[in-house]
Amino acid sequence: MSAPLLSARIIDWFASSGRALPWREPGFPAWGILVSEFMLQQTPVARVIPRLAEWLERWPTPGALASVPPGEAVRAWANLGYPRRALWLHAAAVTIAERHDGVVPQGVDDLLALPGVGDYTARAVSVFAYGHRHPVVDTNTRRVIARAIDGNQEPAPPSNSRDLAAMDRLLPESVEDARVFNAGAMELGAIVCTARAPKCGECPIADACAWRLAGYPAYEGKRKAVQKKYEGSDRHVRGLIMAELRAAHVPVTRAEIDSLWPDAVQRERALAGLVADGLAVNAETGYVLP
């Protein structure tokens, strides 16, 4: 199947089958899209939607967030996980307020200069908030391309140059079609061409999928390192300490932190990591959010 036909099918499928998500609503602000992209990194959509609404009601502009201490952003992050994202988002808001007159920039290079913004987020905001034509590649897009184009069950470990080039070859020339195709390819990977149980009977490009036509061969290439189990990990202990800090409006004492986890070595390592990351601050009588 030619690239134009493949992209056209995905665009048509997305128009009828894509989920109704807040950040896809017409007129959704660029700031809201930037916030949503920060929140959606490694966090399920269902958990992001209510938190995004609360966040934008409280801080509807970058300037509003920049005007409060970073610890307030960390507290509001709640159960989204990876709370450093909250610090980066706050720092990005400060930069937007100070260097861009409170307006989220449009260009990929300007977006990349914001704290915590990587290549995917910069391109996503430029495309989905402002309608510029760039390839946007996330995990779901990579899986769709790996299967439909390359005939592999799963993609090789990420390569920015390779992945962007692969998506660029499929991108329609029309700016609007390119925007919709970017969203459609991600959506296809998220709800149909899933990692564990692909729904090939619902796929708009199933008849041209190289992996399906090859008989679904198992993947034998290189794999990205698998993250360690959460339960009992340092991330788990960090999360327990962060939950205590978010819930408290006075310094959390060492005795209170010591009661959260029995392994003293692991507990100290987690606490030291939070301090080093700027997520916890050592006050005179205990620890507080920044």
Side-chain angles (χ1 to χ4, degrees):
M1 183 183 295
S2 67
L5 181 55
L6 181 144
S7 61
R9 284 197 187 179
I10 291 178
I11 288 170
D12 290 344
W13 169 84
F14 182 66
S16 61
S17 302
R19 292 168 294 179
L21 299 174
W23 45 90
R24 292 176 180 165
E25 293 295 322
F28 200 76
W31 169 240
I33 290 176
L34 179 62
V35 174
S36 74
E37 291 296 345
F38 267 82
M39 290 184 171
L40 286 164
Q41 296 167 20
Q42 299 178 293
T43 303
V45 167
R47 283 169 56 195
V48 167
I49 291 175
R51 194 67 63 208
L52 176 65
E54 295 170 5
W55 191 284
L56 294 179
E57 182 177 356
R58 183 175 181 183
W59 297 305
T61 65
L65 178 59
S67 69
V68 302
E72 288 303 302
V74 175
R75 195 186 307 278
W77 202 253
N79 67 338
L80 290 176
Y82 299 96
R84 274 178 290 183
R85 290 180 293 168
L87 285 183
W88 292 333
L89 183 52
H90 183 274
V94 171
T95 302
I96 293 169
E98 293 179 347
R99 300 182 187 176
H100 299 282
D101 297 322
V103 178
V104 176
Q106 298 189 27
V108 169
D109 288 343
D110 286 335
L111 287 160
L112 282 171
L114 299 177
V117 173
D119 195 76
Y120 164 77
T121 299
R123 290 171 178 274
V125 172
S126 184
V127 170
F128 300 132
Y130 293 112
H132 294 297
R133 184 184 180 279
H134 302 289
V136 182
V137 179
D138 74 345
T139 299
N140 293 311
T141 304
R142 294 175 58 245
R143 185 167 56 254
V144 169
I145 292 175
R147 289 175 176 171
I149 306 301
D150 301 330
N152 294 323
Q153 181 183 20
E154 59 186 83
S159 164
N160 202 43
S161 58
R162 183 195 64 224
D163 295 337
L164 289 174
M167 186 60 172
D168 194 49
R169 287 192 289 270
L170 300 174
L171 210 61
E173 288 299 322
S174 161
V175 172
E176 175 59 18
D177 284 351
R179 181 187 68 80
V180 178
F181 177 64
N182 273 310
M186 284 191 280
E187 185 76 341
L188 186 64
I191 67 175
V192 174
C193 192
T194 56
R196 295 185 180 179
K199 304 169 185 175
C200 298
E202 301 176 19
C203 180
I205 57 172
D207 62 336
C209 175
W211 183 51
R212 178 174 176 270
L213 293 173
Y216 303 108
Y219 181 71
E220 297 180 353
K222 294 181 179 179
R223 285 185 167 88
K224 185 179 179 180
V226 177
Q227 192 172 55
K228 294 181 180 179
K229 182 180 177 182
Y230 179 76
E231 295 296 328
S233 68
D234 284 5
R235 287 195 302 122
H236 184 187
V237 183
R238 283 168 62 103
L240 293 174
I241 298 172
M242 285 301 303
E244 193 75 12
L245 293 176
R246 283 196 302 268
H249 291 273
V250 295
V252 177
T253 66
R254 284 305 300 256
E256 290 170 321
I257 291 175
D258 289 347
S259 71
L260 296 174
W261 192 255
D263 186 330
V265 173
Q266 189 177 24
R267 189 178 63 238
E268 289 302 312
R269 185 168 62 241
L271 178 59
L274 291 173
V275 172
D277 290 339
L279 289 166
V281 176
N282 191 352
E284 289 184 6
T285 57
Y287 290 83
V288 297
L289 294 174

